[in-house]
Amino acid sequence: MKIGVCTGLKNISAAAEAGFDYIEPSLTSLEKMTDAEFAYAASLPRPIPVLRANGLLPGELKVTGPSVDFGAIRAYLDLAFARASKLGIGIAVFGSGKARAVPEDFPFSEAWLQLSSFLSVAAEYGEKYSVSVAIEPLRRQECNILNLVSEAVALAAFTGKERIGVLGDTFHMLSSGEPLGALVRAGGLLSHIHISHPLEGLTGRDYPREGDGSVDSYLELFSVLKSAGYRGYVSLEAGSRDFASEGPAAASLLHRLASEAGF
């Protein structure tokens, strides 16, 4: 089981020193670089690989509503996925709450079809560049559509593309009251996991650590993934006040718990 951390390319050495197996930067940050900036970033030594990317779309590139521009979407995906492929990124995470949020008074029935159409296009570029997409359900406070793993599974199945899978994020699942059993029911569509420590009142999240009151929940997650035959990776996605201390503690804890679960 590989344990990664969501952070930018500039932090890759710190992530390696902390004990993480890979990093997960945002795809939008890669796409926004100039060609010269990306060429320089791609040429730098990578002590650990860049295996996943989150933040598939910028907020202004809408995929639902009356102003969807598939020409702009295609141009974005062509460049973003090309750069992801050059770095070795195998899965890009489709959270992108602002990009997919359904405008007021726009029919949700049409929005679901638009999401499927977008994912079909994303799968097309995924085939071109060997990059798959993991649909990330977001809690309702962050997006008004695609809030549950079960909904993401239904959308992925409806879209019917091999490059389209599903992500389970423990913070969003907890916020939405969705049990970990939903990850088992996702079956082979489950392709990636995000983990974090939820703050009191679900006001945010930070890095897992020994004695934070959630260690049993982390172990339960790994045990569920093991029983489900999960073969993907787990990325830590949260804010950190002091990565130099919090990063190594989180990496050590998560590796230990994954091992205890049989990974």
Side-chain angles (χ1 to χ4, degrees), residues 84-227:
S85 181
K86 283 186 178 180
L87 292 178
I89 293 168
I91 293 178
V93 175
F94 177 42
S96 310
K98 291 183 179 179
R100 79 185 195 211
V102 183
E104 189 175 355
D105 298 328
F106 190 82
F108 270 69
S109 57
E110 187 172 343
W112 282 107
L113 294 175
Q114 288 178 319
L115 287 172
S116 180
S117 295
F118 162 70
L119 289 168
S120 293
V121 172
E124 176 186 331
Y125 287 93
E127 282 297 318
K128 181 178 180 180
Y129 293 110
S130 298
V131 177
S132 296
V133 173
I135 305 169
E136 179 180 23
L138 301 174
R139 61 181 185 157
R140 291 173 181 83
Q141 295 92 325
E142 297 181 32
C143 189
N144 63 355
I145 195 169
L146 259 178
N147 307 119
L148 301 172
V149 171
S150 58
E151 293 174 334
V153 169
L155 179 60
F158 176 79
T159 303
K161 303 294 183 181
E162 289 186 6
R163 287 284 176 184
I164 305 301
V166 172
L167 176 146
D169 183 302
T170 58
F171 178 70
H172 293 297
M173 293 181 72
L174 183 62
S175 298
S176 300
E178 190 170 27
L180 292 178
L183 301 176
V184 177
R185 292 189 290 275
L189 287 174
L190 184 65
S191 58
H192 194 34
I193 295 290
H194 281 168
I195 192 173
S196 60
H197 171 248
L199 299 179
E200 186 176 356
L202 299 174
T203 56
R205 45 188 164 175
D206 59 9
Y207 279 27
R209 62 189 183 280
E210 295 281 3
D212 66 8
S214 298
V215 172
D216 288 345
S217 297
Y218 310 142
L219 181 57
E220 181 186 4
L221 170 67
F222 286 115
S223 297
V224 166
L225 295 176
K226 180 66 176 179
S227 67

